[in-house]
Amino acid sequence: MHTLSDTEEKISNPVLAQKTVYSILFSIAFAHLLNDLMQSVIPASYPILKDNFNLNFTQIGLITFVYQLTASLLQPFIGFYTDNKPKPYSLVIGMLFTISGLALLAFANHFWMILAAVSLVGIGSSIFHPEASRVAFLGSGGKRGLAQSIFQLGGNTGSAIGPLLVAVIVAPFGQFYIIWFILAGFIGIWVLAKIAVWYQDHLSLRASKKIVTEEEFVPLSKRKIKISIGILLLLIFSKFFYMTSMSSYFTFYLMHKFGLSIQDSQFHLFLFLASVAAGTLIGGPLGDRFGRKYIIWVSILGAAPFTLLLPYADLFWTGVLSVIIGVVIASAFSAILVFAQELMPGKVGMISGLFFGFAFGMGGLGSAFLGYLADKTSIEYVYQISSYLPLIGIFTYFLPNIKKKVIST
């Protein structure tokens, strides 16, 4: 991998500054991998916490809700603030919050301590994602879908690896072994500190006019832009409400319906999350090439036939369908986020914070609601109801087809 110092030398050239800076993209993607790996420890540890604290599904949902709430509420405000006053080293601060949360979770001996721990992790997420997404944007060289996909691939890969490591490290030995995951945080701090140096130099060069910027014009009325943003948020709702049914409850579903062990169910969750990572990498470049609206259309609505079949499948086909669903539905997020950024140019941080925050919020709300529903009915019923959510993808029809007009300044 190229060193960041090489990148700093290249970025000082105003011609090369317009090219895609892959060393930065892969570095921020790796940091995203470490960040989301640590965050994925929370849902992956649910079966262990459930046994240790004798929790019901409503309490499991409340843990996710608290985590996602703290991760969602702050993000738009942080993004709005850093649009005007970028803070490169805030990435390091976000990672420190996440490390603190996992350390507290490892030692937690009361339910309130679990809630406090996941709150710290949520705050870390809210600080990390807007600025990290901006780094991906700045390093894209115009290939925004590709850059966002590389960035998201890192996060989704971390989310997939996390449950697998929990099955190997934590499940056999107990809750305290969560402490080992803070090592990933210290590696992340080192990587993010290097990225912050490049980010700071980039800002200095831009301020001195050594980097050519672009001014974009969106040929849409303000009303049409607001409606389009609303539709994109509705699609985020359908995607992440369904995704939380998989990330938070898929292991319980497999254990209850097919009698799998914790380790076997975690392996199936890993396969699903790995397919999510693969789908993420596909969506962004295809959106760059064919148009983001079409990728969103195929990704959200295209997952519906498979989600509708999942509750009625045997173990083998449940595994197959979960992989297909992961690939198809995951390809939407990069396209949705870049679509929104292009609707509101110059507000990358705010839009990233809004959409990441809304995604986390919907995940938390979905987890709390579905946990309550599982307690009142059954875990199988949760999957029957949530299988209809991708049908909301029909609203993609009302999104405009954006053709960018860009003028160099």
Side-chain angles (χ1 to χ4, degrees):
M1 187 173 71
H2 295 299
T3 64
L4 292 174
S5 58
D6 292 337
T7 304
E8 290 161 16
E9 292 175 7
K10 291 179 181 179
I11 201 69
S12 64
N13 186 312
V15 177
L16 292 177
Q18 303 307 300
K19 294 184 178 181
T20 305
V21 189
Y22 284 101
S23 58
I24 288 297
L25 292 183
F26 287 118
S27 295
I28 196 64
F30 180 62
H32 198 191
L33 182 153
L34 296 172
N35 182 80
D36 284 21
L37 184 154
M38 291 189 293
Q39 292 175 6
S40 71
V41 170
I42 294 172
S45 299
Y46 283 167
I48 299 161
L49 297 173
K50 189 175 189 294
D51 289 341
N52 288 355
F53 295 90
N54 195 28
L55 305 179
N56 56 33
F57 285 120
T58 301
Q59 289 172 306
I60 292 291
L62 181 61
I63 294 171
T64 304
F65 177 71
V66 170
Y67 160 63
Q68 304 284 31
L69 187 68
T70 54
S72 63
L73 288 180
L74 293 176
Q75 287 203 44
F77 299 103
I78 290 174
F80 178 78
Y81 176 75
T82 54
D83 276 336
N84 299 309
K85 297 181 179 180
K87 302 292 182 183
Y89 288 93
S90 65
L91 293 164
V92 173
I93 295 172
M95 193 66 74
L96 286 171
F97 271 98
T98 301
I99 289 173
S100 301
L102 284 189
L104 181 58
L105 184 62
F107 287 96
N109 54 17
H110 294 286
F111 183 64
W112 69 264
M113 291 181 69
I114 297 175
L115 297 181
V118 300
S119 295
L120 289 172
V121 176
I123 293 171
S125 176
S126 69
I127 296 171
F128 174 84
H129 282 97
E131 280 293 80
S133 186
R134 189 198 308 279
V135 170
F137 179 88
L138 295 176
S140 69
K143 297 179 181 178
R144 296 174 184 175
L146 174 64
Q148 195 60 227
S149 283
I150 292 173
F151 174 64
Q152 287 301 117
L153 175 65
N156 287 334
T157 301
S159 296
I161 295 173
L164 202 61
L165 293 178
V166 168
V168 174
I169 298 172
V170 183
F173 304 107
Q175 175 187 337
F176 174 73
Y177 280 75
I178 290 173
I179 199 72
W180 286 102
F181 286 88
I182 69 173
L183 293 175
F186 289 118
I187 297 171
I189 286 174
W190 179 78
V191 173
L192 290 171
K194 298 289 186 180
I195 291 171
V197 172
W198 173 85
Y199 187 3
Q200 187 66 60
D201 288 347
H202 184 94
L203 294 174
S204 298
L205 288 167
R206 174 171 288 187
S208 65
K209 307 300 183 182
K210 291 182 180 179
I211 292 181
V212 179
T213 58
E214 294 178 334
E215 184 178 356
E216 299 182 13
F217 295 91
V218 181
L220 299 171
S221 66
K222 290 184 178 179
R223 180 175 179 274
K224 184 65 175 178
I225 290 173
K226 290 179 180 178
I227 291 173
S228 299
I229 292 291
I231 292 171
L232 292 172
L233 289 172
L234 180 63
L235 297 175
I236 288 289
F237 159 78
S238 70
K239 170 181 160 54
F240 279 89
F241 219 86
Y242 183 82
M243 289 286 286
T244 198
S245 73
M246 299 295 285
S247 61
S248 294
Y249 299 108
F250 195 43
T251 53
F252 296 112
Y253 175 76
L254 294 170
M255 292 163 63
H256 184 270
K257 186 172 182 178
F258 302 111
L260 298 187
S261 65
I262 291 177
Q263 286 86 349
D264 288 341
S265 64
Q266 291 284 21
F267 177 72
H268 278 77
L269 179 61
F270 164 75
L271 290 178
F272 168 73
L273 294 173
S275 68
V276 169
T280 299
L281 184 61
I282 294 169
L286 289 178
D288 285 338
R289 182 176 179 84
F290 299 107
R292 311 197 200 286
K293 178 177 178 177
Y294 302 108
I295 301 304
I296 297 169
W297 183 274
V298 171
S299 176
I300 303 293
L301 191 61
F306 307 105
T307 61
L308 290 167
L309 286 172
L310 182 69
Y312 309 100
D314 60 19
L315 179 59
F316 172 78
W317 283 107
T318 295
V320 172
L321 288 170
S322 69
V323 169
I324 295 172
I325 291 167
V327 170
V328 174
I329 204 167
S331 61
F333 187 73
S334 295
I336 290 173
L337 182 58
V338 176
F339 196 115
Q341 290 173 347
E342 290 175 347
L343 283 170
M344 301 186 70
K347 298 182 178 179
V348 175
M350 187 190 74
I351 290 297
S352 299
L354 174 63
F355 276 78
F356 275 111
F358 191 75
F360 281 120
M362 287 302 98
L365 183 62
S367 183
F369 172 76
L370 295 175
Y372 175 80
L373 187 64
D375 280 334
K376 293 297 181 182
T377 56
S378 68
I379 196 71
E380 288 92 345
Y381 185 69
V382 165
Y383 282 85
Q384 292 171 11
I385 292 297
S386 60
S387 67
Y388 292 96
L389 286 167
L391 293 175
I392 292 175
I394 195 71
F395 285 94
T396 305
Y397 174 82
F398 299 102
L399 289 174
N401 292 308
I402 297 178
K403 294 183 179 180
K404 295 184 294 179
K405 297 180 180 180
V406 182
I407 298 176
S408 295
T409 59

